[in-house]
Amino acid sequence: MTELPGGTITFLFTDIEGSTLRWEQHSAAMQPALARHDALLAAAITDHGGVVFKTVGDAFYAAFTTAAAALAAALAAQRALQREAWDETVGPLRVRMALHTGAAELRAGDYFGPPLNRVARLLVAAHGEQILLSRATQELIRDSLPPGVQLRDLGEHRLKDLIRPEHIFQLQADDLRSDFPPLRTLDSRVNNLPPQSAPLLGREQELAELRALLARPGVRLVTLTGPGGTGKTRLSLQLGADLLHDFADGVFLLELAPIRDPALVASTIAHTLGVKETGAAPLIEGLQAFLRDKQMLLILDNFEQVAAAAPIVTALLRAAPRLKLLVTSRVVLRLYEEHEFLVAPLQTPNPKQLPPLERLSQYAAVALFIQRAQAVKRDFQITNENAPAVAEICARLDGLPLAIELAATRTKLLTPQALLARLDNRLKMLTGGARDLSARQQTLRGAIDWSYDLLDSAEQQLFARLAVFVGGWTLEAAEAICQDAADLDLLDGLQSLVDKSLVRQIETEQGEPRFMLLETIREYALERLTLSGAAEAACAGHASYYLELAEQMEPELVGMNQAASLDRLETEHNNLRAALTWARTASDPEIGLRLTIALAEFWSARGYYSEARRWLTELLARSTAPTSTRGLALAVAGFMAIRQGDAAAARPLFEESLALALDRRDQLIQARALHGLGAVAHTLDDYQTALDLLEQSLALSRQLNNRHDQAATLFRLGQVAHLQGDYALARSFYEQSLAERRALGDRRGTAFVMHNLGVVAIEEADHATARALFEQNLPLFRDLGDKLGIALSLHALAATALFQEDYVAAREQGEDALAQFRELGRTMDVASALELLGQVAIHERRYDQARLYLAESLVLCKNNDDLIGVAGSLEKFAALAEAQSRAQVAITLSGAAAAIREAIGAPIPQSDRPAYEQMLQSARSRLDDAVSAQSWESGLAMEREQVIAYALRQ
């Protein structure tokens, strides 16, 4: 790829005038014509030393190191286009061109900065076959023009989006056309549009949609709606500027924000248009007469507080058939001819999955933040250090342009990181807008106050009550929690708040309507709720509703509607978190503990182990009464700790749960506590204790006919037998568990059992069966959104690939699994994945990387008292030593691992034995028998800490 020039660049932009219409009418003929156009343009540019750095449709964007070269390329291109014999169907392609010189930022194969905006706007002003130059380019080439070429001074003109007018020149040559209509600038059509202080960012799609909408003959009235701060006014001004040449009689802005009396709307319009009252005739008739033959666009800005004047809009449209109206309003007008267009917030990046730094500014919200930050701090730049904070700020401000602009102005004093830390109270922080803006645009609170004041008292009460919802709500939830919030019909109230742009309605895949408040608006509503004195009652009602929902769905999480139930709880997760937050300080903590029990399967399925443990720790600390609810919650907390390999934290939780169960003679809690203690023993490699406890738990579950708990305990028994090398017994337990899971319709549980049957197949060298099971399970886990299941499937597929010597697949899938285990906090699974990747690295002879993987795995196993893991890591260290011809080290480590396995009764997995024995035989063949035997005995005799230190030193 040709290197792009840097420094001061002369840009040449081109496009074809009227190409859209030609494509619609003659698409077949346009294809070869466009190909020829592209060839001619490319040749002219490259022949004169230019570089085409971007093409968009039929537009060419080229960069030159000198203005003279750019001018020569433009001349050559126009002459070539003029000489071409075009297809008669299409006719001559008339290309307009613009040149401008300036210093632009070169980043990721593209140019950025003000010069690009200026040349683009200059191009829009041109006509087909016309070549325009800016003052900057004219200054560079005026004394060295080619023979027969002159520059015609067209004077200063205002261009869209640009603060400073541009002095424009037209290139004229004897053999090129020189007569053109007036330039397409803001000065060429009558209008009163104010100049804009900066280019409009991130609204390209909305502008295209609105231009297409207003171009339709039957569309006369378009209303831009949205909450305060979304940029409706700015969008309408840009659209008006873009459409200046479509309205022969001009585009006019009518600012209605200063007035509150609907009766003043007609006089405001008349004053702006210069219409005088005459005699006794009503003013509206004078307006109708004035507009009757006009082809005009009127922008009625901030119509919400004079919405009662909507009949005037209808009267004007009926009187003037070529009149079109663009309205900005936080409330829909509810007129027959109205086309509503919701202006959404700007696109924001996901702070948890940031794109590369060079792509971050492609998000409109971030680009706006940068633009406004540079306006107050010229050297502001996005860096690796501040990028996460900027992305988080934009996301937390919901992509609202006003909020982002106000936040960006604070960068004059605060770094983005410091600003983010102070953003908990957005309404207090986001003040200090420009003094030439209206009061409501100078603070975020002022913008929302403006909307709130439009509500009647009943709507204000409902709006405040809705603040209890976090992340949205259903109509059913609103009916349960807000029905008594105000003396109005709930449906009517919600509809009014939607119409007034305070509440957003979202269509779900299930077709059920869902509503939400932007977080900045919710913060305001929460303040109002608190001031009303109704916050505590509202939060209590909210928590009760979501507890009931979670308890209703709990059986479904292991039943036929598992996937839908998990998705439903995921959708409501932020509301469930809000309920738990309230429960932490509620007078009766029982509601919080009940909610944790109901959510246990959901948290487990979606991998929220750390979060679950945090909620349980806080709520159990508040509720010390020895109730059955506490006993079950203790068991849930214990299982969450086990799932993260934290046996030390799990044991006292299960012990307290068991003591409480025995005291209350509660067999359900007793069975779960025994299972939990069996799981602790299993994790600590105490297999006989594990078997005894699990058998007791299974017997109690069978007495209670609790099939779910039976299936879970049988599964755990299968795992214990599996680790002891008794694959037949393990398969028997797994198959019994499988039968129970299938009877329950538990797809997730079934998939886990099938996964472990696949692991048994690996141990028995049946890799084809194992792979088939893992590949069958992976899409099922993905369908359920089960992060642990996805990670385990990827890890198992990596292990299968390793045994089949497909090291590339093993490495890629193993790395994916490792990343997901780390995210889930599954310490022992992380260790297992590291061990596997260490084996892959040994086979690929990446010995330094293998050592790093195995060292981290060994340390994790040591810290978690996972003796099987320690033995496995030592064996892999031995394989690494043998691969590097250090036979004595390999045999010593193997002896130490054998001693550990003998002590805990866990033999080497059958699948690992062939490679292990081959490694050991190879190492022994390098030494004489006496040294080999001595090395083995040395390993057998080593203390555990001693051998771990020895391995890590290697």
Side-chain angles (χ1 to χ4, degrees), residues 464-465 525-539:
R465 179 68 67 89
L526 199 56
E527 282 188 3
R528 293 288 180 174
L529 181 64
T530 303
L531 289 171
S532 74
E536 180 62 22
C539 289

Side-chain angles (χ1 to χ4, degrees), residues 631-949:
L632 287 170
L634 286 163
V636 170
F639 281 117
M640 291 298 169
I642 283 291
R643 288 186 175 99
Q644 291 193 305
D646 192 352
R651 188 196 296 276
L653 294 166
F654 287 126
E655 288 174 344
E656 184 182 348
S657 179
L658 180 60
L660 192 151
L662 292 172
D663 184 60
R664 298 182 65 84
R665 299 181 181 179
D666 190 318
Q667 290 185 315
L668 173 63
I669 301 174
Q670 184 181 350
R672 291 187 181 174
L674 287 168
H675 181 164
L677 289 168
V680 170
H682 165 212
T683 301
L684 298 176
D685 307 316
D686 184 355
Y687 300 130
Q688 190 54 55
T689 300
L691 288 170
D692 291 343
L693 291 167
L694 291 169
E695 290 287 2
Q696 292 178 53
S697 174
L698 181 61
L700 284 170
S701 295
R702 282 176 171 159
Q703 286 180 34
L704 296 169
N705 195 30
N706 186 328
R707 303 186 76 171
H708 175 262
D709 284 7
Q710 287 179 59
T713 308
L714 286 164
F715 184 74
R716 181 78 64 175
L717 283 164
Q719 290 177 305
V720 175
H722 191 158
L723 288 172
Q724 290 181 300
D726 191 340
Y727 303 130
L729 181 59
R731 186 182 292 104
S732 173
F733 282 131
Y734 287 149
E735 288 173 349
Q736 291 178 66
S737 177
L738 185 62
E740 296 293 344
R741 297 289 191 192
R742 284 176 169 164
L744 290 166
D746 182 357
R747 295 171 64 209
R748 176 171 176 265
T750 296
F752 274 110
V753 179
M754 298 294 285
H755 173 87
N756 277 29
L757 286 169
V759 177
V760 170
I762 286 182
E763 307 292 5
E764 296 177 332
D766 186 357
H767 299 132
T769 297
R771 177 175 286 279
L773 286 169
F774 301 143
E775 289 178 342
Q776 175 184 331
N777 275 354
L778 183 56
L780 190 150
F781 281 128
R782 282 179 170 150
D783 182 52
L784 292 171
D786 192 308
K787 296 179 181 178
L788 175 60
I790 294 168
L792 288 173
S793 296
L794 289 168
H795 182 259
L797 285 166
T800 306
L802 175 62
F803 286 120
Q804 294 178 324
E805 300 182 0
D806 184 353
Y807 302 127
V808 173
R811 183 177 68 252
E812 291 175 351
Q813 291 168 326
E815 288 172 348
D816 284 349
L818 174 62
Q820 295 190 43
F821 286 141
R822 288 193 194 279
E823 182 182 341
L824 291 168
R826 298 272 301 189
T827 308
M828 302 323 300
D829 286 322
V830 168
S832 180
L834 288 164
E835 183 183 305
L836 183 146
L837 287 168
Q839 290 177 268
V840 174
I842 292 171
H843 284 290
E844 294 183 325
R845 299 184 179 181
R846 296 182 294 116
Y847 299 133
D848 288 342
Q849 186 61 59
R851 187 175 294 109
L852 292 173
Y853 282 137
L854 295 177
E856 185 180 353
S857 177
L858 180 57
V859 169
L860 287 173
C861 293
K862 166 186 172 291
N863 292 343
N864 285 274
D865 294 321
D866 177 13
L867 298 184
I868 287 185
V870 169
S873 292
L874 292 175
E875 288 155 0
K876 304 311 179 293
F877 262 117
L880 175 60
E882 166 54 23
Q884 295 181 297
S885 301
R886 295 180 293 131
Q888 197 167 349
V889 173
I891 294 173
T892 301
L893 290 171
S894 298
I900 293 173
R901 289 192 180 279
E902 179 67 25
I904 62 177
I908 293 176
Q910 187 171 305
S911 58
D912 288 344
R913 286 177 196 166
Y916 172 77
E917 290 171 357
Q918 182 180 353
M919 178 274 297
L920 197 57
Q921 182 180 354
S922 176
R924 283 172 172 163
S925 70
R926 298 175 189 271
L927 305 172
D928 62 46
D929 291 346
V931 174
S932 176
Q934 182 183 1
S935 299
W936 180 265
E937 292 299 325
S938 175
L940 288 175
M942 277 187 178
E943 296 292 333
R944 193 177 308 153
E945 292 293 332
Q946 182 185 7
V947 73
I948 289 172

Side-chain angles (χ1 to χ4, degrees), residues 268-452:
T268 301
I269 297 174
H271 177 75
T272 303
L273 298 178
V275 177
K276 306 292 185 182
E277 289 191 68
T278 57
L283 181 57
I284 188 64
E285 292 182 8
L287 276 172
Q288 289 174 316
F290 174 80
L291 293 169
R292 184 164 289 116
D293 298 321
K294 297 289 192 297
Q295 185 189 20
M296 187 180 288
L297 175 67
L298 299 184
I299 301 173
L300 306 181
D301 190 36
N302 292 295
F303 204 85
E304 56 269 4
Q305 82 284 356
V306 289
I312 293 175
V313 171
T314 301
L316 296 180
L317 289 172
R318 288 177 180 172
R322 296 200 298 164
L323 173 69
K324 296 201 176 191
L325 298 179
L326 180 64
V327 177
T328 75
S329 176
R330 303 185 194 189
V331 237
V332 292
L333 276 59
R334 294 190 176 184
L335 298 177
Y336 178 76
E337 292 197 66
E338 182 178 29
H339 292 259
E340 182 185 359
F341 189 97
L342 177 63
V343 180
L346 296 175
Q347 185 184 16
T348 64
N350 181 351
K352 296 180 181 178
Q353 294 179 332
L354 285 182
L357 189 65
E358 63 272 12
R359 288 173 45 206
L360 192 59
S361 61
Q362 294 178 7
Y363 287 89
V366 175
L368 178 61
F369 186 96
I370 296 170
Q371 181 194 80
R372 301 313 301 152
Q374 290 177 342
V376 297
K377 187 177 174 63
R378 190 170 58 184
D379 60 348
F380 178 84
Q381 295 292 335
I382 286 284
T383 65
N384 288 320
E385 290 70 33
N386 67 26
V390 171
E392 180 73 25
I393 289 168
C394 292
R396 289 182 59 183
L397 295 178
D398 302 307
L400 284 174
L402 174 60
I404 291 169
E405 290 191 22
L406 293 171
T409 61
R410 295 294 190 184
T411 57
K412 189 171 184 178
L413 297 176
L414 301 171
T415 65
Q417 298 92 316
L419 175 60
L420 177 61
R422 291 166 171 79
L423 208 59
D424 285 341
N425 190 331
R426 304 168 179 80
L427 301 178
K428 181 179 179 181
M429 184 70 185
L430 302 182
T431 61
R435 291 181 180 178
D436 56 350
L437 296 175
S438 64
R440 64 189 174 83
Q441 291 175 302
Q442 292 183 32
T443 71
L444 185 59
R445 185 188 301 280
I448 305 174
D449 275 337
W450 180 268
S451 292
Y452 182 78

